[in-house]
Amino acid sequence: MIRFAPVLLSIAAFTLPALAAPEVGKPAPAFTGTDTAGATVSLADLKGKPVILEWTNHECPYVKKHYEGENMQRLQAEFAEKGAIWLTVISSAPGTQGNVDAATADKLTADRGASPAHVLLDEAGTIGRAYEARTTPHMFLIDEAGVLQYMGAIDDKPSANPKTLDGAHNYVEAAWDAMKAGKAADPASTKPYGCSVKYEG
């Protein structure tokens, strides 16, 4: 046992620490990703502007509800007018539901009349895992200082039925209003609903 101790210590020395889980009221996890145009998008470079993250999978019924009902497009346009940067993130691994190449992602954006500032292709799931994104959709609101203000469901109707868009309480809009009023979102964190994010492995 003694002769193996140095080897075990050597392995332990190179063990990487676990990533800190995203936490409302704390700096949002840093990330750098690539969009469909091949441009690098970094959260650090967006500091000074509010950022909204939307995890998506175009084949997911819950995502279809928000796009076919034009709810997501409405939100994207609304927040763009307010000066926010909307980032749509696709973390589906190659060969899984929702995985698309850049050209297909751009076609989906155009065909649906969507208007995110960038669509990030996150096949390796690096950004998704940093944010512990679990479902599509899964939403995050980050303020101008890079602090996470809200994370969770898009609204209070965890259903794929388009009829539930009527009368739904939108958590992202409510969190934005609270943030602009200098208040904490209530709730600041909710359980996301939708299809599971299709990470590799």
Side-chain angles (χ1 to χ4, degrees):
M1 292 297 293
I2 296 176
R3 63 179 176 178
F4 290 107
V7 177
L8 294 173
L9 288 172
S10 176
I11 293 172
F14 289 98
T15 300
L16 296 175
L19 293 173
E23 186 177 346
V24 170
K26 299 291 180 67
F31 67 82
T32 299
T34 303
D35 72 6
T36 55
T40 298
V41 178
S42 170
L43 181 61
D45 292 340
L46 300 177
K47 198 167 184 178
K49 294 185 177 181
V51 175
I52 294 170
L53 301 178
E54 167 218 351
W55 260 265
T56 194
N57 164 0
H58 70 285
E59 297 180 89
C60 171
Y62 295 88
V63 171
K64 287 182 178 180
K65 175 183 86 167
H66 287 285
Y67 275 98
E68 291 177 1
E70 299 189 352
N71 185 51
M72 201 69 80
Q73 297 94 319
R74 177 186 66 80
L75 292 171
Q76 290 166 352
E78 173 187 316
F79 282 109
E81 288 182 5
K82 294 176 178 179
I85 304 297
W86 187 292
L87 303 179
T88 296
V89 187
I90 304 172
S91 293
S92 296
T96 67
Q97 185 192 65
N99 178 267
V100 292
D101 58 19
T104 303
D106 284 344
K107 187 175 188 303
L108 282 167
T109 298
D111 288 350
R112 296 187 295 194
S115 56
H118 301 274
V119 176
L120 302 184
L121 302 177
D122 182 44
E123 287 189 340
T126 305
I127 304 173
R129 288 190 173 95
Y131 278 79
E132 298 187 351
R134 299 196 299 274
T135 63
T136 51
H138 196 162
M139 309 296 296
F140 297 80
L141 172 62
I142 303 166
D143 69 16
E144 293 91 338
V147 175
L148 186 60
Q149 295 293 331
Y150 173 78
M151 61 181 182
I154 187 170
D155 61 27
D156 63 347
K157 302 294 183 183
S159 168
N161 187 341
K163 292 181 179 179
T164 60
L165 289 172
D166 294 333
H169 175 70
N170 191 283
Y171 291 128
V172 183
E173 288 180 301
W176 175 276
D177 291 342
M179 180 180 75
K180 289 303 178 181
K183 301 177 182 178
D186 183 19
S189 178
T190 62
K191 181 180 179 180
Y193 70 84
C195 305
S196 63
V197 177
K198 313 304 182 187
Y199 292 116
E200 188 173 16

